[in-house]
Amino acid sequence: QIQLVQSGPELKKPGESVKISCKASGYTFTDYAMHWVKQAPGKGLKWMGWINTYTGKPTYADDFKGRFVFSLEASASTANLQISNLKNEDTATYFCARGATTDYWGQGVMVTVSS
Amino acid sequence: DVVMTQTPVSLSLAIGQPASISCKSSQSLVHSDGKTYLSWILQRPGQSPKRLIYLVSKLDSGVPDRFSGSGSETEFTLKISRVEAEDLGVYYCWQATHFPLTFGSGTKLEIK
């Protein structure tokens, strides 16, 4: 069956970096884009952007340009999200989701940024 | 950016009652390919979101037929014919017609 399995929770200090992964299984990885969505504690969902899993080209929403990088390990059917120079406001759960209509979602990764 | 306005913010319903959630977009969601990329997702407490409906009215596999979606252009509705206990959570509409993709602010469904 189709699954998106994300890496575990992270606790980081401001200024540090974090890399979280989203491993896909049950389908051909390069057939569907991967989208990333942020959910701050107690808040709604915010689209961060997507990566073309065939070409590797990322597209970022305006609020996520600069410190955020989407990448792939296509041979491992894995999409990654790296956040550098972490800030307190990056504390959130980050979801990966398959395709523009997001038919499958990962379980989410809680990233906590605290000094 | 396309603004997605959802109402009501919350619903408190008894099991068996109908539910209706409205979602209005600030621009038409009809894509140049003729499709309308409006989806409804449910986030149960402590869980990741799950898609229920896509392309306005198409139910995902395994979604009970008490759920239905309708609408066009800028106005969309999610209906639950008879609420059940497992339906509690936050419902979001979201659009993938225009970049950036945008979500509604959510409607919290509570069971009385």
Side-chain angles (χ1 to χ4, degrees):
Chain A
Q1 75 280 23
I2 295 168
Q3 283 189 301
L4 300 177
V5 179
Q6 297 187 243
S7 47
E10 301 273 3
L11 175 60
K12 296 289 185 181
K13 290 180 167 46
E16 293 185 336
S17 296
V18 68
K19 187 174 185 178
I20 60 180
S21 65
C22 171
K23 183 171 177 57
S25 61
Y27 70 97
T28 301
F29 182 68
T30 52
D31 282 352
Y32 294 84
M34 194 67 75
H35 290 250
W36 291 93
V37 176
K38 176 183 179 180
Q39 187 171 39
K43 301 296 185 181
L45 302 167
K46 187 166 187 175
W47 182 73
M48 300 174 67
W50 67 288
I51 186 164
N52 184 317
T53 54
Y54 187 76
T55 64
K57 179 185 176 185
T59 300
Y60 302 96
D62 284 348
D63 287 349
F64 299 97
K65 290 178 179 176
R67 298 186 297 113
F68 300 82
V69 176
F70 306 148
S71 63
L72 301 174
E73 296 170 47
S75 60
S77 298
T78 299
N80 300 307
L81 164 63
Q82 183 162 350
I83 311 172
S84 59
N85 189 20
L86 282 161
K87 304 178 186 303
N88 290 333
E89 54 264 36
D90 296 325
T91 293
T93 297
Y94 294 87
F95 296 99
C96 59
R98 188 182 84 155
T101 56
T102 61
D103 53 357
Y104 290 89
W105 292 67
Q107 84 275 19
V109 176
M110 180 69 204
V111 175
T112 304
V113 183
S114 175
S115 54
Chain B
D1 298 2
V2 177
V3 177
M4 305 294 286
T5 302
Q6 263 184 259
T7 55
V9 172
S10 64
L11 281 173
S12 182
L13 296 171
I15 290 173
Q17 284 190 294
S20 182
I21 300 171
S22 169
C23 176
K24 295 183 180 180
S25 58
S26 59
Q27 299 177 35
S28 171
L29 297 186
V30 180
H31 193 273
S32 56
D33 65 7
K35 296 180 181 177
T36 301
Y37 293 93
L38 184 283
S39 300
W40 291 94
I41 57 177
L42 166 60
Q43 188 174 29
R44 295 187 174 99
Q47 296 187 18
S48 61
K50 174 189 173 184
R51 194 180 72 174
L52 302 176
I53 289 172
Y54 63 104
L55 295 176
V56 179
S57 60
K58 296 183 182 298
L59 257 63
D60 271 284
S61 175
V63 175
D65 62 6
R66 62 178 182 276
F67 287 90
S68 64
S70 63
S72 62
E73 301 281 351
T74 62
E75 298 195 7
F76 305 91
T77 303
L78 173 70
K79 291 188 177 181
I80 310 173
S81 59
R82 297 174 307 280
V83 166
E84 296 193 7
E86 65 182 18
D87 299 338
L88 87 164
V90 181
Y91 292 80
Y92 296 92
C93 60
W94 85 299
Q95 66 83 23
T97 296
H98 303 284
F99 280 88
L101 283 60
T102 47
F103 291 90
S105 53
T107 296
K108 186 174 185 179
L109 174 58
E110 298 176 324
I111 307 298
K112 283 182 182 175

